[in-house]
Amino acid sequence: GSPDAEQVGSVGLVEMLHRSNLLAIVGGGSHPKFPDASVLIWDDAREGKEKLVLEFSFPKPVLAVRMRHDRLAVALQSRLFVFSFPHRPTKLFEFDTRDNPKGILELCPSSERALLVFPGHKCGSLQLVDLGSAKPGTSSAPVTINAHQSEVACAALSPTGAVVASASRRGTLIRLFCTQSRTRLLELRRGTDPATLYCLAFSPDCSFLCAVSDKGTGHVFALRDTRLNRRSA
């Protein structure tokens, strides 16, 4: 059953926790019932009207929400929040970011590694935080990858969190880095014309990467046998 339109109104963002009954909803669109600065958790397994089980409120509009089995991460224009989730949620972390109008934020789903990725303070950089080893309330030295010369437009984490892929606003190159050593593993050329990349996604076994842009095309890159990429369309 889809969230009841009367109860929820129009929606600006929706994220599902893996393939579960929990959805995170942010109001938006033409007839929202809830503010765009709140995240509502909808439990579709519940009977009747009591499906809205949690609400998180923020000082500014929510631009992105990411969930994993034990954490919820929320991006505002220049701040990130991380909560324990879904039982008795408490705020664990708050991070300041550079201006992040696209709400770039990725959270690794793997139970082995609770890795969070978002834009660093320097133009073109990515910041990595291992939520498993970081202590709430402390500021440890940030792990930063200088990925691009211009602003980061898009980022994705591999399913295990071992690799991060990113593209800049130019959208011509996609770079892949090892999240452990921060070394660059691969550089993939999407094309020579600048393009806005909307989405990067790894295949489950990490052997392919898909990129979708405003050119109306999707590119699939081979990550293991990169010789295939010369012929790929």
Side-chain angles (χ1 to χ4, degrees), residues 12-201:
L13 290 173
V14 63
E15 277 286 322
M16 180 184 267
L17 174 62
H18 307 314
R19 294 178 183 173
S20 74
N21 49 299
L22 292 184
L23 296 169
I25 297 168
V26 178
S30 54
H31 49 280
K33 287 200 83 163
F34 294 102
D36 61 1
S38 286
V39 174
L40 301 150
I41 304 298
W42 175 281
D43 185 346
D44 209 51
R46 289 201 168 200
E47 292 300 317
K49 289 266 182 191
E50 295 306 303
K51 295 192 176 190
L52 286 171
V53 290
L54 288 171
E55 182 171 356
F56 299 83
S57 295
F58 299 94
K60 294 206 169 137
V62 172
L63 301 178
V65 183
R66 297 286 182 265
M67 292 183 286
R68 49 177 276 139
H69 64 91
D70 59 353
R71 296 285 181 268
L72 176 116
V74 174
L76 312 187
Q77 180 108 12
S78 57
R79 187 160 281 195
L80 290 186
F81 298 88
V82 181
F83 298 85
S84 60
F85 181 78
H87 307 294
R88 285 192 309 226
T90 47
K91 185 171 83 178
L92 301 176
F93 299 98
E94 201 172 314
F95 301 102
D96 285 324
T97 67
R98 69 184 286 105
D99 190 42
N100 185 16
K102 288 188 151 88
I104 295 165
L105 168 67
E106 288 303 325
L107 185 57
C108 175
S110 162
S111 53
E112 273 84 73
R113 228 175 147 207
L115 193 63
L116 186 72
V117 172
F118 52 92
H121 286 288
K122 194 176 148 219
C123 177
S125 70
L126 291 168
Q127 192 158 325
L128 309 178
V129 177
D130 191 331
L131 299 175
S133 63
K135 299 273 181 292
T138 63
S139 61
S140 56
V143 175
T144 306
I145 292 174
N146 294 317
H148 304 281
Q149 305 267 283
S150 60
E151 297 283 358
V152 174
C154 209
L157 275 168
S158 66
T160 62
V163 182
V164 63
S166 66
S168 74
R169 289 211 179 143
R170 279 184 61 77
T172 52
L173 294 173
I174 297 162
R175 290 183 173 139
L176 283 82
F177 298 87
C178 170
T179 57
Q180 207 82 53
S181 67
R182 291 181 278 171
T183 51
R184 190 194 293 181
L185 302 172
L186 267 181
E187 188 171 272
L188 305 166
R189 183 165 280 286
R190 192 210 56 81
T192 48
D193 289 346
T196 302
L197 283 179
Y198 293 125
C199 176
L200 291 170

